[in-house]
């Protein structure tokens, strides 16, 4: 018994009477069509999706093999039938086209035409959709070489009947030709895929997705297979890079099963999953209702999308380089401790030990987000295999890296998606499982719940300078809908989960309370503003009382309401909603207690005692709790320019300033900085002291050195200078300067909210000092990549110079790129 006979018999055993009774030696093609219809509409005895595809495959192979023998297509005839498309891949779904090629070994036209007519006409007469061609092997290879789509199709070619050596020549030749020509075709291949994604959208986030051509669909699996045949990528990479609910192979099978049932349920060869068919397909696949089906499709499509993106990137890096780039080896550029950039990807350094470094996952992710460079799949695989879980509470640096990741803007979305598809995000946030791929119940939402949370984070990153606690804003945006998918009021459930997450992250108890309140009341402002009378004092008092009179919480909820609406869908946020919520917030502020003005931190008693003994410059350094963070205290005679030069020396020594407290006592400046080195160990305190003395004496120009470093980082190194470092993406939020105090009295407090950059503290204080302002005290706070720096300044001419000083400060602050001009249609 042949394989086709065995499969047909097996199909009959599973309850498909058409497969058992079908006899192609006695039946024309019309009975093949009838047998297919009987399989597809088998009633109570119908096959499941996988068994149906196998039965359809065997039926078509059996009929074609028998028909071939009947019309003289034998192993020695110089003729062969080759299948492409669904039959070639072995993925026959109910209404697949039949893609066939009749190969011949330079036979006469009359002979070939006669055989072709006897093969094609019965199929046409039976109304079987047929895509056919008649070619020699050289002709077929020529077409494959000239047309990328035809070349892709021949990669799936499979021998069906006749001369197998002829088929082997075509199949082997097409694959060799594809491998040798991929360098010239690669750009076209990627462009074709991107155009298709633009036309059909993302399966994971479409109400009615195209299972075949949408982003993350079956066409993308075929693209990955084509790259694998070109020996540029793995069609099914390491199993460790599986999504939380399955592997790439599982995702492919899930999409194929949905397409099979879609054809069966709709009764036609459609690939767009209409809402009217979703419940029936979900039931047929034993998944559940349409929401369960949508969740499964989201997971499958996003898994396929991740692997295709990684495959295209890997393939592009594997292609031979051209021109001058072929003569230059890709540079390995450091990004963070144990993290480097190589060949356009973020990878681990050679000496990185992920099994001993729990925080490495977040450092890699933060570096990816702020540079816009993707994390390599091999790096993610290694981290997934060996990185241990972070202890509770998280180390301070891990929380800082998380905040950097969240505040990076749109690049955060791709970074978190890659972490989630490889299971790493779920390790950081086990609560994520309930919202992962969860479809929205409200039609105004265009994203799954988990994607909506990350989109809200991305939107909120543009508003970090509008609040005094950007860190809590970003965490609140991340968690505001975390309570969904569990039943009950998601705001109440989410508030409890936010407390759980905040405790694990190591937040202060007061910050945990605020974070929980953000999640609990994230709908309070929009619901009140759009549904109640804002002229009623009782309404305003109720909101103020619910928030406990906390003006900071009110500020955070105001900004989150805008970010949440913008991340929901088009038209959700507009002037009407903005004005109503703004009016509610203004009224609430009137009934809340005023916010206290910023003030200096108290001076450590030990440092006060040291002032009595210091004769010159003293620098102390100590490590904080065995972490990667150090305290550096500089005590020196107070002179103008001292703070900016001290901050400049730290920046030039590759030390990031996370916070600082600046004070003075009896003519001495007492400046304490919390820092962490970019790489390795920090320089010794004595070396910092020597550099600081050189800067004070004018022998080290810290400002010129910082300016050169900044130009290098922006990719603007001059001829003859070293190549630029990896450029950092521009900030998402515009800088903001707030003024407190009375300029007429010569006393002002300048509050600067912006995005961090190397040497920022030195640059800001240099501008203040250049304008003749005496910095009497300062509080510097870096929250991830967001900065809130407060300077108490004095000077007799501050009232006259304040506007000019503000312009100069804004000029040195990092700002988002200007919006692109809108081109009018001609």
């Amino acid at each position: 018994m042949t394989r086709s006979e065995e499969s047909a018999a097996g199909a009959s055993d599973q309850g498909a009477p058409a497969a058992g009774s079908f006899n192609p030696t006695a039946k024309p093609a019309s009975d093949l069509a009838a047998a297919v219809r009987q399989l597809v509409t088998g009633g109570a005895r119908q096959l499941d999706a996988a068994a149906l595809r196998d039965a359809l495959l065997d039926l078509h192979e059996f009929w074609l093999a028998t028909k071939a023998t009947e019309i003289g297509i034998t192993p020695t005839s110089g003729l062969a039938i080759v299948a492409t498309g669904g039959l070639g891949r072995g993925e026959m779904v109910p209404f697949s086209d039949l893609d066939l090629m009749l190969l011949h070994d330079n036979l006469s036209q009359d002979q070939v035409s006669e055989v072709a007519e006897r093969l094609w006409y019965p199929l046409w007469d039976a109304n079987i959709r047929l895509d056919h061609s008649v070619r020699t092997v050289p002709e077929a290879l020529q077409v494959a070489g000239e047309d990328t789509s035809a070349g892709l199709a021949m990669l799936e070619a499979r021998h069906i009947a006749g001369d197998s050596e002829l088929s082997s020549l075509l199949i082997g030749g097409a694959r060799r030709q594809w491998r040798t020509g991929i360098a010239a075709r690669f750009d076209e291949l990627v462009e074709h895929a991107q155009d298709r994604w633009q036309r059909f959208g993302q399966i994971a986030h479409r109400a009615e997705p195209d299972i075949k051509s949408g982003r993350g669909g079956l066409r993308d699996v075929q693209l990955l297979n084509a790259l694998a045949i070109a020996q540029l990528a793995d069609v099914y990479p390491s199993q460790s890079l599986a999504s939380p609910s399955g592997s790439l192979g599982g995702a492919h099978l899930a999409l194929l099963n949905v397409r099979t049932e879609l054809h069966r349920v709709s009764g036609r060869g459609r690939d767009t999953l209409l809402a009217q068919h979703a419940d029936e397909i979900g039931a047929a696949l034993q998944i559940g209702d349409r929401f369960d089906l949508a969740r499964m499709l989201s997971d499958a499509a996003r898994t396929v999308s991740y692997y295709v993106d990684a495959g295209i990137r890997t393939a592009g890096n594997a292609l031979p380089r051209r021109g001058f780039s072929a003569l230059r080896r890709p540079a390995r550029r450091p990004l963070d401790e144990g993290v480097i950039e190589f060949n356009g990807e973020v990878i681990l350094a050679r000496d990185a030990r992920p099994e001993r470094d729990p925080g490495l996952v977040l450092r890699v992710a933060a570096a990816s987000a702020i540079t816009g460079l993707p994390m390599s799949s091999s790096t993610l695989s290694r981290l997934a295999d060996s990185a241990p879980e972070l202890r509770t509470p998280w180390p301070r640096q891990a929380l800082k890296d998380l905040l950097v990741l969240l505040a990076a803007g749109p690049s955060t979305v791709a970074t978190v998606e890659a972490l989630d598809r490889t299971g790493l995000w779920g390790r950081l946030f086990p609560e994520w499982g309930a919202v992962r791929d969860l479809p929205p119940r409200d039609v105004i939402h265009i994203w799954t719940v988990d994607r909506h949370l990350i989109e809200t984070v991305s939107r909120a990153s543009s508003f970090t300078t509008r609040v005094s606690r950007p860190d809590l804003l970003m965490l609140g945006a991340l968690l505001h809908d975390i309570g969904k998918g569990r039943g009950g009021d998601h705001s109440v459930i989410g508030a409890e989960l936010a407390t759980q997450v905040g405790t694990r992250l190591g937040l202060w108890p007061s910050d945990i309370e605020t974070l929980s309140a953000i999640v609990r009341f994230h709908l309070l402002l929009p619901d009140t503003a759009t549904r109640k009378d804002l002229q009623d004092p009782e309404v305003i008092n109720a909101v103020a009382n619910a928030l406990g009179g906390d003006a900071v919480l009110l500020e955070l909820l105001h900004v989150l309401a805008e970010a949440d609406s913008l991340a929901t869908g088009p038209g959700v946020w507009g002037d009407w909603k903005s004005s109503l919520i703004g009016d509610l917030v203004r009224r609430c502020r009137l009934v809340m207690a005023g916010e206290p003005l910023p003030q200096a931190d108290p001076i450590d008693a030990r440092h006060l005692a040291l002032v009595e003994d210091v004769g010159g410059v003293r620098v102390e350094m100590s490590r904080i709790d065995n972490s990667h963070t150090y305290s550096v205290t500089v005590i020196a005679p107070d002179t103008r320019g001292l703070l900016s030069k001290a901050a400049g020396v730290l920046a030039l020594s590759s030390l990031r300033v996370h916070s600082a407290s600046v004070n003075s006592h009896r003519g001495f400046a007492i400046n304490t900085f919390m820092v962490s080195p970019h790489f390795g160990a920090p320089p010794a305190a004595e070396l910092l002291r020597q550099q600081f003395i050189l800067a004070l004496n004018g022998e080290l120009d810290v400002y010129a050195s910082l300016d050169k470093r900044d130009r290098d980082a922006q990719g603007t190194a001059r001829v003859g200078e070293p190549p630029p470092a990896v450029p950092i993406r521009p900030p998402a939020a515009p800088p903001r300067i707030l003024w407190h105090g009375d300029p007429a009295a010569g006393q002002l407090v300048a509050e600067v909210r912006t995005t961090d950059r190397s040497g920022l503290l030195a640059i800001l204080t240099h501008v203040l000092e250049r304008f003749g302002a005496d910095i009497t005290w300062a509080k510097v706070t870096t929250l991830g990549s967001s900065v809130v720096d407060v300077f108490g300044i004095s000077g007799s001419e501050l009232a006259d110079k304040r506007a000019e000083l503000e312009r100069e400060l804004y000029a040195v602050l990092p700002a988002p790129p200007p919006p692109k001009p809108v081109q009018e249609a001609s």
Side-chain angles (χ1 to χ4, degrees), residues 250-267:
H252 179 198
L253 181 60
L255 293 169
L256 199 55
N257 286 341
V258 171
R259 187 175 183 231
T260 302
E261 292 300 338
L262 175 60
H263 279 212
R264 176 151 54 182
V265 168
S266 65

Side-chain angles (χ1 to χ4, degrees), residues 457-523:
V457 168
S458 176
R459 294 285 188 169
S461 67
S462 300
F463 308 143
T464 53
T465 54
R466 285 167 46 182
V467 297
S468 59
R469 290 301 303 271
D471 54 334
L472 294 180
L473 171 64
M474 303 312 299
L475 293 174
L478 179 68
L479 300 175
H480 74 278
D481 278 343
I482 197 68
K484 288 187 174 181
R486 293 173 168 86
D489 187 335
H490 79 279
S491 296
V492 175
I493 297 172
E496 296 174 357
L497 294 173
T499 299
Q500 176 179 302
V501 172
T503 302
R504 189 168 67 248
L505 298 184
L507 301 181
W508 289 107
S510 58
D511 288 345
I512 294 174
E513 290 181 10
T514 302
L515 178 61
S516 179
I518 291 172
V519 177
R520 174 65 183 89
F521 297 113
H522 74 274
L523 296 176

Side-chain angles (χ1 to χ4, degrees), residues 197 215 224 304-314 345:
W197 297 336
R215 180 163 172 77
L224 193 56
V304 171
S305 293
Y306 167 76
Y307 284 110
V308 169
D309 287 345
I312 289 175
R313 208 163 55 241
T314 301
E345 293 183 320

Side-chain angles (χ1 to χ4, degrees), residues 285-496:
L285 294 175
Q286 299 181 349
I287 293 171
D289 62 12
R290 58 194 174 98
F291 293 103
D292 298 314
L293 177 64
R295 190 169 193 176
M296 182 274 288
L297 273 178
S298 174
D299 174 70
R302 290 162 77 173
T303 299
V304 171
S305 293
Y306 167 76
Y307 284 110
V308 169
D309 287 345
I312 289 175
R313 208 163 55 241
T314 301
N317 289 335
L319 289 173
R321 300 177 180 274
R322 301 177 182 176
F324 289 111
S325 61
L327 305 176
R328 187 171 60 242
R329 294 183 62 185
R332 302 172 70 89
R333 304 186 190 276
L335 300 176
D336 206 332
E337 183 71 24
V339 187
I340 65 172
E341 180 267 336
F342 178 73
N343 225 6
E345 293 183 320
V346 176
I347 67 172
L348 298 182
R350 291 190 180 98
D351 58 352
R353 296 294 179 266
E355 63 278 1
R356 304 175 186 172
D357 190 352
L360 187 56
V361 171
L362 283 167
R363 289 207 302 281
V364 168
S368 173
I370 62 175
T371 60
L373 299 173
M375 298 170 287
S376 77
S377 57
S378 60
T379 290
L380 289 171
S381 177
R382 187 177 172 193
L383 290 171
D385 285 340
S386 57
E389 294 188 12
L390 286 163
R391 60 176 172 80
T392 299
W394 283 13
R396 293 180 185 177
Q397 188 59 48
L399 175 58
K400 292 171 184 174
D401 289 330
L402 173 66
L403 294 173
V404 170
L405 164 62
L406 296 181
S411 60
T412 299
V413 177
T415 303
V416 173
E417 183 74 6
L419 293 174
D420 194 37
R421 290 303 111 186
T422 52
L424 291 167
W425 189 250
R427 291 190 200 174
L428 298 172
F429 296 98
E431 300 83 2
W432 205 256
V435 297
R436 181 181 292 109
D437 296 303
L438 184 66
R441 298 278 173 166
D442 195 328
V443 294
I444 64 172
H445 282 266
I446 63 174
W447 306 109
T448 57
V449 174
D450 60 330
R451 177 64 180 271
H452 166 72
L453 290 173
I454 302 303
E455 289 288 338
T456 306
V457 168
S458 176
R459 294 285 188 169
S461 67
S462 300
F463 308 143
T464 53
T465 54
R466 285 167 46 182
V467 297
S468 59
R469 290 301 303 271
D471 54 334
L472 294 180
L473 171 64
M474 303 312 299
L475 293 174
L478 179 68
L479 300 175
H480 74 278
D481 278 343
I482 197 68
K484 288 187 174 181
R486 293 173 168 86
D489 187 335
H490 79 279
S491 296
V492 175
I493 297 172
E496 296 174 357

Side-chain angles (χ1 to χ4, degrees), residues 529-578:
T530 57
R531 299 177 184 179
K532 295 187 178 181
D533 181 9
L534 301 186
Q535 304 296 326
D536 186 352
E538 292 299 323
V539 171
I540 306 303
N541 287 330
V543 173
N545 291 335
L547 302 183
D550 189 339
V552 173
L553 177 58
L554 177 67
E555 174 188 65
L556 291 168
L557 290 174
H558 185 192
V559 173
L560 178 58
E562 182 175 350
D564 187 12
S565 298
L566 291 171
T568 297
V572 178
W573 184 259
D575 292 340
W576 173 75
K577 190 173 183 178
S578 174

Side-chain angles (χ1 to χ4, degrees), residues 624-652:
I624 307 298
D625 298 332
N626 294 320
S627 66
H628 204 54
T629 305
Y630 297 80
S631 172
V632 177
T633 299
V634 178
I635 302 176
D638 197 359
T639 59
R640 182 172 293 169
L642 184 147
L643 176 57
S644 63
K645 291 174 181 176
V649 167
L650 295 176
L652 292 175

Side-chain angles (χ1 to χ4, degrees), residues 49-90:
L52 176 59
R53 289 193 300 274
D54 289 341
L56 290 172
L57 187 67
D58 289 335
L59 276 177
H60 287 86
E61 286 183 350
F62 197 7
W63 189 90
L64 288 170
T66 307
K67 188 66 176 178
T69 302
E70 176 188 323
I71 61 179
I73 303 177
T74 65
T76 59
S77 63
L79 294 162
I81 300 175
V82 173
T84 58
L87 183 59
R89 291 189 302 272

